[in-house]
Amino acid sequence: APATTAAPATTAAPAAPKANLVICGIIADNTGLLKALDDCGINIIDDLVVHESLRYRQDIPQADDPYLALALQIGEIEGCPILYDLGKKRADMLAGIVRQRSADAVLFVLTKFCDPEEYDLVPMKKALNENGIRSMQVEIDQQTPDAGQIRTAIEALCESIDANNA
């Protein structure tokens, strides 16, 4: 029987991201949110998410007692909405990250009924607006994977970024 040769597989180059965002919040692991971000071609270039990289921005200091070392590290974390922040540096930190990473916008991911995050939202959005940084907020419910409203909000944010870049 004659041998058949398969046509070489072609791989398309991945599409350029529609937007480069910095994510901010307590936790951003909702599957509906993540799928919406992925489907919309969002590139997350940095975050100020407590459950993500925020806790790793400071090194754990050397100490004989590992529990003391962890406690000291937690005491040094800045920009966390659930820890005491004497100077409320979170807004300036976020604006600095956006500028440093050349992000298109900030996406605030608010966890439903999480008051500390909601208290910080208004002054943070004000600081971003004063710096000419676009932002949007979405609210997630850890118990509900449906993300129809989140998807619509993210699509609107991408469209506004596209319109601004055109």
Side-chain angles (χ1 to χ4, degrees):
T4 59
T5 55
T10 58
T11 57
K18 291 183 180 178
N20 294 314
L21 299 184
V22 173
I23 303 289
C24 185
I26 300 281
I27 188 168
D29 66 351
N30 178 281
T31 56
L33 167 70
L34 298 176
K35 180 155 179 33
L37 292 169
D38 191 45
D39 291 348
C40 292
I42 300 295
N43 187 22
I44 306 299
I45 57 174
D46 209 336
D47 74 81
L48 202 56
V49 176
V50 175
H51 193 257
E52 303 294 335
S53 70
L54 181 66
R55 66 175 67 185
Y56 302 109
R57 291 189 184 270
Q58 284 81 19
D59 289 334
I60 297 174
Q62 294 290 326
D64 292 333
D65 181 354
Y67 295 110
L68 175 61
L70 288 172
L72 292 170
Q73 187 254 359
I74 289 171
E76 294 296 318
I77 293 175
E78 292 181 349
C80 180
I82 55 177
L83 296 175
Y84 178 69
D85 184 5
L86 179 62
K88 287 293 184 188
K89 300 172 188 153
R90 191 167 179 228
D92 291 335
M93 285 177 64
L94 185 57
I97 290 169
V98 170
R99 283 191 298 273
Q100 177 188 22
R101 304 286 288 173
S102 299
D104 295 311
V106 172
L107 180 65
F108 290 99
V109 180
L110 301 179
T111 303
K112 197 170 206 157
F113 304 116
C114 182
D115 292 341
E117 186 72 1
E118 293 172 4
Y119 293 143
D120 282 355
L121 181 65
V122 173
M124 290 182 65
K125 285 186 73 112
K126 180 180 177 195
L128 293 177
N129 288 340
E130 290 170 355
N131 284 282
I133 299 170
R134 172 185 287 115
S135 67
M136 177 174 280
Q137 70 197 49
V138 295
E139 185 177 66
I140 60 170
D141 181 350
Q142 291 300 110
Q143 306 303 317
T144 307
D146 180 39
Q149 290 180 333
I150 292 171
R151 176 178 302 279
T152 302
I154 291 169
E155 289 170 352
L157 178 61
C158 286
E159 287 175 14
S160 73
I161 290 169
D162 285 344
N164 192 53
N165 292 338

